């Protein structure tokens, strides 16, 4: 290794700036930027985001021809396409900026066995698409995409299953196994998303079982840890210990968590202590402590930091540098969602870190819940422009010089 390469890796990342909108939007044409500007202007209006979902759902249900409009606007910004093939342009654009793609087949809340089989097959196709293409370095799935939510809930409660439910559960386990086995055989990592606490114990058990089988040599299967839960830092530490004892690599996607309001509401309604941290700063502290813990054990833990939080991204970049870890070490990835936080993704990739974005795809009707969540996340807070909108405004000003 040349002497200056070691020096480079040890240097603090003071050069890392997330304000460079030129790098962030290099892949966006003026037209695409203008479209994103108007999209986020509309999304910024709280009232529209509140009344939009029911109106859109109703319009789609009664067959009004609005799919074309959705596809040309919000879908185009946050999704890669309706099929894997349609995602090719997005995959290419991201990769030109050094950012990989995580194809995310976005089907939610189904309860039909044929749909579950079909989703398993589609996820396997995403692994096949990734095979041999560095532009698609990781894959992902949700257990509720291949199994019925209420069955998982019953398993979490340790309730007695009927004979039919036992057969159904075997099928869910087999689908998860099929996906992870395919990932193992093709050498493509696969992440398992985290969901609601009342089904998460079952997901965690499945994920650990898959890691024991497939992560002996390298991280193929990753579980997801939601740090808005007060018990999850302890879980990472316990799972790490299990990985050491049983001789496998722990794969850990670390996120803050997406279901906070739903979690708190359910806990209050049923009358059990909320699993969520008392406040945001407690969630931030555990998130950052999780990064510190994982980086300290980077030979045995592979992490994907799924976050749009600048401080956490900067902390991870600093930890990589302080611990003399190669920024291209496959055990450390940064990850954001398509259409959000390009200032983080592209500036991190430009500084040579591993970065991959979730690229959701699927039939428009099926991805609507995902799109509504993105819209809600990007509404104005206290009359301020959302972060995404202010970055787009900054870049448009830079390009026009006014
Ligand atoms: C690549 C990627 C993959 C993801 N995968 C998953 C997944 O599998 N499962 C999942 O649940 N989510 C997932 N998410 C969503 C994620 O959990 C967050 O909801 C989202 O990224 C916002 O958190 P942040 O770290 O980006 O940023 P921030 O804006 O810093 O944090 C916002 C988050 O902080 C937490 N928070 C806010 N207020 C409070 C409070 N008062 N008390 C406690 N906590 C609070 C909430 O989790 C909230 O979403 C993923 C996100 C990304 C980018």
């Amino acid at each position: 290794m040349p002497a200056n390469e070691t020096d480079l890796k040890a240097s603090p990342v003071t050069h890392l700036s997330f304000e460079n909108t030129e790098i962030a939007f290099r892949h966006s044409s003026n037209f695409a930027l203008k479209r994103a500007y108007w999209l986020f202007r509309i999304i910024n209006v709280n009232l529209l985001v509140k009344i939009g979902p029911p109106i859109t759902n109703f319009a789609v249900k009664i067959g009004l021809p609005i799919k074309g409009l959705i596809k040309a606007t919000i879908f185009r910004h946050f999704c890669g396409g309706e099929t894997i093939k349609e995602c090719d342009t997005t995959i290419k654009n991201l990769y030109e900026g050094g950012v990989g793609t995580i194809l995310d087949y976005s089907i939610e809340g189904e309860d039909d066995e044929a749909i579950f089989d079909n989703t398993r097959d589609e996820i396997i196709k995403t692994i096949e698409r990734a095979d041999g293409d560095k532009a698609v370095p990781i894959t992902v799935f949700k257990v509720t995409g291949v199994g019925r939510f209420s069955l998982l809930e019953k398993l979490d409660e340790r309730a007695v299953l009927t004979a039919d439910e036992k057969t159904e559960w075997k099928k869910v386990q087999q689908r998860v196994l099929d996906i992870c086995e395919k990932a193992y055989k093709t050498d493509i990592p696969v992440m398992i998303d985290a969901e609601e606490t009342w089904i998460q114990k079952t997901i965690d058990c499945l994920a650990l079982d898959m890691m024991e089988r497939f992560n002996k040599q390298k991280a193929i299967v990753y579980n997801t840890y939601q740090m808005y839960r007060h018990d999850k830092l302890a879980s990472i530490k316990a799972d790490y210990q299990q990985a050491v004892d049983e001789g496998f690599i722990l794969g850990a996607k670390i996120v803050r968590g997406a279901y906070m309001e739903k979690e708190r509401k359910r806990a209050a309604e049923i009358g059990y202590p909320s699993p969520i941290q008392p406040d945001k700063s407690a969630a931030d502290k555990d998130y950052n402590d999780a990064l510190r813990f994982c980086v300290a054990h980077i030979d045995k833990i592979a992490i994907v930091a799924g976050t749009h939080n600048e401080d956490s991204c900067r902390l991870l970049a600093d930890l990589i540098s302080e611990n003399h870890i190669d920024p291209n070490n496959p055990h450390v990835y940064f990850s954001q969602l398509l259409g959000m936080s390009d200032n983080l993704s592209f500036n991190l990739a430009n500084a040579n870190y591993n970065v991959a974005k979730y690229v959701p795809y699927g039939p428009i009707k099926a991805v609507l819940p995902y799109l509504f969540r993105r819209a809600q996340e990007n509404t104005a807070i206290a009359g301020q422009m959302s972060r995404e909108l202010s970055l787009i405004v900054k870049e448009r000003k830079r390009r026009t010089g006014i």
Side-chain angles (χ1 to χ4, degrees):
M1 180 192 296
N4 60 353
E5 204 174 317
T6 326
D7 294 339
L8 232 179
K9 281 172 198 159
S11 63
V13 277
T14 44
H15 59 281
L16 187 62
S17 162
F18 296 135
E19 300 306 317
N20 189 329
T21 57
E22 185 177 1
I23 292 174
F25 296 109
R26 202 183 273 156
H27 61 293
S28 301
S29 65
N30 286 344
F31 178 74
L33 211 57
K34 191 171 174 188
R35 194 185 52 220
Y37 170 77
W38 282 108
L39 178 67
F40 279 99
R41 281 281 305 261
I42 293 166
I43 285 176
N44 235 232
V45 181
N46 289 311
L47 179 67
L48 282 180
V49 171
K50 248 189 204 137
I51 60 171
I55 293 175
T56 312
N57 279 331
F58 181 69
V60 170
K61 207 170 173 180
I62 63 168
L64 286 183
I66 61 158
K67 281 193 187 164
L69 179 69
I70 298 171
K71 191 162 183 182
T73 54
I74 188 165
F75 181 90
R76 181 127 184 215
H77 187 81
F78 290 111
C79 298
E82 291 194 72
T83 61
I84 295 178
K85 186 84 196 112
E86 278 185 23
C87 295
D88 277 350
T89 311
T90 304
I91 295 172
K92 187 170 161 281
N93 276 346
L94 293 178
Y95 200 56
E96 275 168 12
V99 173
T101 287
I102 301 168
L103 286 166
D104 178 21
Y105 184 55
S106 291
I107 289 276
E108 297 182 17
E110 300 291 343
D111 63 358
D112 182 285
E113 289 294 299
I115 295 181
F116 293 144
D117 281 340
N118 184 56
T119 301
R120 183 255 336 261
D121 296 345
E122 187 65 33
I123 292 157
I124 286 177
K125 281 185 199 151
T126 65
I127 299 172
E128 286 165 355
R129 174 63 183 81
D131 190 10
D133 187 352
K134 284 191 178 137
V136 188
I138 314 173
T139 55
V140 70
F141 73 100
K142 273 191 172 53
V143 175
T144 50
V146 295
R148 192 162 54 88
F149 191 100
S150 43
L151 176 71
L152 302 174
E153 199 173 355
K154 226 173 153 182
L155 283 151
D156 245 57
E157 287 164 358
R158 304 280 181 265
V160 180
L161 300 186
T162 64
D164 282 351
E165 284 169 340
K166 280 183 188 157
T167 312
E168 192 187 343
W169 173 228
K170 281 219 167 79
K171 285 189 192 162
V172 180
Q173 288 171 297
Q174 186 60 48
R175 290 184 195 112
V176 171
L177 181 62
D178 292 344
I179 293 167
C180 295
E181 204 164 47
K182 179 74 186 181
Y184 176 74
K185 285 186 178 153
T186 43
D187 206 20
I188 301 290
V190 64
M191 303 184 293
I192 302 179
D193 274 347
E195 306 190 51
E196 289 86 345
T197 42
W198 53 102
I199 59 167
Q200 191 59 40
K201 275 201 292 289
T202 306
I203 297 173
D204 290 342
C205 288
L206 271 174
L208 273 172
D209 182 28
M210 294 299 118
M211 284 195 231
E212 275 170 42
R213 282 173 195 243
F214 299 118
N215 287 15
K216 295 278 185 214
Q217 269 88 42
K218 62 181 280 193
I220 290 292
V221 180
Y222 288 63
N223 196 14
T224 301
Y225 297 83
Q226 297 158 313
M227 308 316 297
Y228 68 3
R229 286 181 55 172
H230 52 66
D231 56 343
K232 278 292 153 178
L233 183 56
S235 293
I236 295 184
K237 292 181 179 174
D239 291 354
Y240 161 73
Q241 197 50 55
Q242 186 177 337
V244 170
D245 294 345
E246 293 175 15
F248 65 90
I249 309 283
L250 183 70
K253 169 156 65 89
I254 305 171
V255 299
R256 279 182 173 73
Y259 310 96
M260 183 174 72
E261 273 154 34
K262 205 171 170 188
E263 291 283 355
R264 284 192 171 140
K265 188 164 172 266
R266 184 176 190 266
E269 275 168 12
I270 301 181
Y272 59 87
S274 169
I276 304 297
Q277 307 264 15
D279 51 36
K280 172 81 162 62
S281 62
D284 290 344
K285 183 179 181 305
D286 273 13
Y287 191 97
N288 293 341
D289 283 350
L291 293 182
R292 289 187 185 95
F293 179 83
C294 293
V295 170
H297 302 94
I298 204 68
D299 53 329
K300 286 272 171 229
I301 310 182
I303 52 169
V304 174
T307 182
H308 298 145
N309 182 298
E310 268 189 40
D311 291 342
S312 295
C313 287
R314 188 175 295 283
L315 171 71
L316 181 55
D318 285 343
L319 289 169
I320 291 171
S321 166
E322 282 159 25
N323 288 277
H324 308 284
I325 296 167
D326 184 338
N328 287 140
N329 185 319
H331 275 200
V332 196
Y333 258 87
F334 293 83
S335 185
Q336 287 80 39
L337 308 180
L338 183 71
M340 287 180 70
S341 298
D342 281 352
N343 63 315
L344 303 181
S345 310
F346 287 97
N347 282 300
L348 283 162
N350 190 56
N352 214 20
Y353 295 99
N354 294 323
V355 185
K357 279 176 107 86
Y358 268 41
V359 173
Y361 76 95
I364 290 181
K365 198 175 162 200
V367 299
L368 281 178
Y370 177 87
L371 294 176
F372 296 151
R373 282 204 297 278
R374 297 293 80 78
Q376 268 144 18
E377 263 170 31
N378 284 289
T379 50
I381 299 162
Q384 296 276 310
M385 245 193 266
S386 74
R387 172 99 180 119
E388 296 299 331
L389 182 56
S390 60
L391 288 164
I392 293 166
V393 168
K394 185 176 169 194
E395 175 58 8
R396 287 188 85 207
K397 275 194 184 141
R398 193 197 65 78
R399 286 190 191 182
T400 55
I402 43 168

